[in-house]
Amino acid sequence: MNYVEGFVVAVPAANKQAYLDLASKVAPLFKEFGVSRFVECWEDDVPDGKLTDFRRAVQAKEDEKVVFSWFEYPSKEVRTAVQEKMMNDPRMKEMGDEMSFDGKRMIFGGFVPILDV
């Protein structure tokens, strides 16, 4: 079964195109490294919760939108190898200066699918 890595981040609404441009630029690198699927989703209907919600999870400000993303990998071992490649590839380091959001507020994690219909 595949392995999934999910991300949630707050991006200033004014930076939507910059975010999309960077995601489009890194997508081929991620594919080269071993990511089998790369999905970026822009906030459309993100309600405020009573106890918690996506916006609170990333401390989104009034002028920010929530981005929900995920990568699919053939396995957890491939994910580990891809992370190492990402951290050590000079092209990735070069693009680090182009981040259109506050990476300190990103939440992410790896997940084992338990149902895929």
Side-chain angles (χ1 to χ4, degrees):
M1 195 176 270
N2 294 341
Y3 194 78
V4 177
E5 185 169 37
F7 303 85
V8 180
V9 68
V11 178
N15 290 355
K16 181 178 182 180
Q17 190 59 52
Y19 183 88
L20 181 58
D21 290 347
L22 183 59
S24 298
K25 194 173 176 180
V26 299
L29 292 179
F30 293 162
K31 289 285 204 173
E32 175 188 324
F33 296 155
V35 172
S36 51
R37 187 171 180 210
F38 174 58
V39 180
E40 294 280 358
C41 305
W42 190 260
E43 174 184 333
D44 179 58
D45 181 17
V46 179
D48 292 335
K50 291 183 181 178
L51 295 177
T52 189
D53 55 50
F54 279 107
R55 297 189 62 75
R56 285 185 217 170
V58 293
Q59 300 174 354
K61 299 173 184 161
E62 275 296 312
D63 66 336
E64 293 179 322
K65 297 292 184 177
V66 174
V67 173
F68 175 64
S69 308
W70 71 91
F71 298 168
E72 289 181 10
Y73 302 88
S75 67
K76 184 176 182 179
E77 294 75 23
V78 171
R79 179 224 191 188
T80 300
V82 168
Q83 285 181 326
E84 186 174 326
K85 290 175 188 176
M86 285 182 195
M87 298 304 287
N88 295 313
D89 191 287
R91 297 170 294 177
M92 292 296 296
K93 290 180 182 176
E94 197 174 286
M95 287 185 237
D97 295 335
E98 298 178 39
M99 302 247 301
S100 54
F101 59 91
D102 179 1
K104 290 178 266 176
R105 291 186 283 141
M106 175 188 281
I107 59 172
F108 64 94
F111 301 86
V112 176
I114 58 172
L115 179 65
D116 187 349
V117 186

